[in-house]
Amino acid sequence: MIELLGGECTGKSALAEEVALATGAQLVPETLRAFVDIHGRAPMQDEQEQIMNEQFRAAEAAVENSAGLVVVDPSPAMTAVYSLQYFNDDSLLDLAIHRLKRADVIVWCQPDIPWVPDGVHRDGAVHRSRSHELLRDQVVSRLDPGVVVIASGDTQQRLRTLQAFLDR
């Protein structure tokens, strides 16, 4: 299982789609995006845990039902990061990191591409930077560096970096 980390507009979805096309991997879409589409708003603090758990369950179900590679866009850990970022609530972080350690590969998408608005789904480049800082300080620093792929550049460069990691 490959899980993607990164703040808003860091190329996670574009990379996930390219990985799925290139490898035939099963793609697990973002529960948070679906929530925002349905409700027309960002989730409240008391809705964060349910969203994280739904994303985790979707990832686990995909792994159980797939004979091949599964790509989770994004990792359920992103909900814990957003909960910390927007509500100063770190209550989901330890569980999210524990679950994240089950991934075979963790792709950390860097904020080195232009930020692009996406309606109610994105808050701005400043928020992307804050997510990146929280990921660096609160999540990636607690992971085995041997399973973390740092993805930067355009989508094709990110795909090549991930493929090189998978081929080693």
Side-chain angles (χ1 to χ4, degrees):
M1 177 170 51
I2 297 173
E3 292 194 31
L4 299 172
L5 295 174
E8 63 182 50
C9 201
T10 56
K12 297 181 302 294
S13 295
L15 179 58
E17 290 170 9
E18 287 297 317
V19 171
L21 284 172
T23 66
Q26 181 176 346
L27 181 58
V28 178
E30 184 175 13
T31 302
L32 176 58
R33 180 173 283 274
F35 178 96
V36 173
D37 286 343
I38 291 167
H39 298 283
R41 63 171 176 82
M44 307 301 259
Q45 183 174 358
D46 64 344
E47 296 167 316
Q48 298 291 313
E49 185 174 12
Q50 177 183 350
I51 290 168
M52 184 179 81
N53 287 333
E54 285 179 22
Q55 184 79 13
F56 179 73
R57 282 191 294 276
E60 288 296 304
V63 168
E64 289 176 18
N65 296 318
S66 175
L69 190 60
V70 172
V71 179
V72 185
D73 172 34
S75 167
M78 286 310 304
T79 301
V81 170
Y82 295 141
S83 191
L84 178 59
Q85 179 173 343
Y86 288 96
F87 303 110
N88 199 30
D89 177 6
D90 66 355
S91 65
L92 303 176
L93 205 53
D94 287 340
L95 177 59
I97 291 169
H98 173 74
R99 288 175 170 173
L100 182 59
K101 289 179 179 180
R102 297 178 183 180
D104 300 302
V105 179
I106 301 163
V107 180
W108 184 21
C109 294
Q110 301 299 291
D112 63 339
I113 58 177
W115 184 88
V116 178
D118 186 15
V120 295
H121 296 284
R122 296 185 181 150
D123 291 329
V126 171
H127 294 280
R128 176 174 76 167
S129 295
R130 180 66 181 137
S131 296
H132 184 75
E133 292 168 4
L134 289 170
L135 281 165
R136 180 191 64 220
D137 298 342
Q138 301 293 324
V139 179
V140 176
S141 64
R142 295 170 59 184
L143 300 173
D144 174 1
V147 299
V148 177
V149 175
I150 297 174
S152 59
D154 66 19
T155 303
Q156 291 306 308
Q157 177 59 46
R158 291 165 187 244
L159 182 60
R160 287 190 297 273
T161 299
L162 177 56
Q163 286 176 324
F165 183 88
L166 294 172
D167 290 343
R168 55 178 197 136

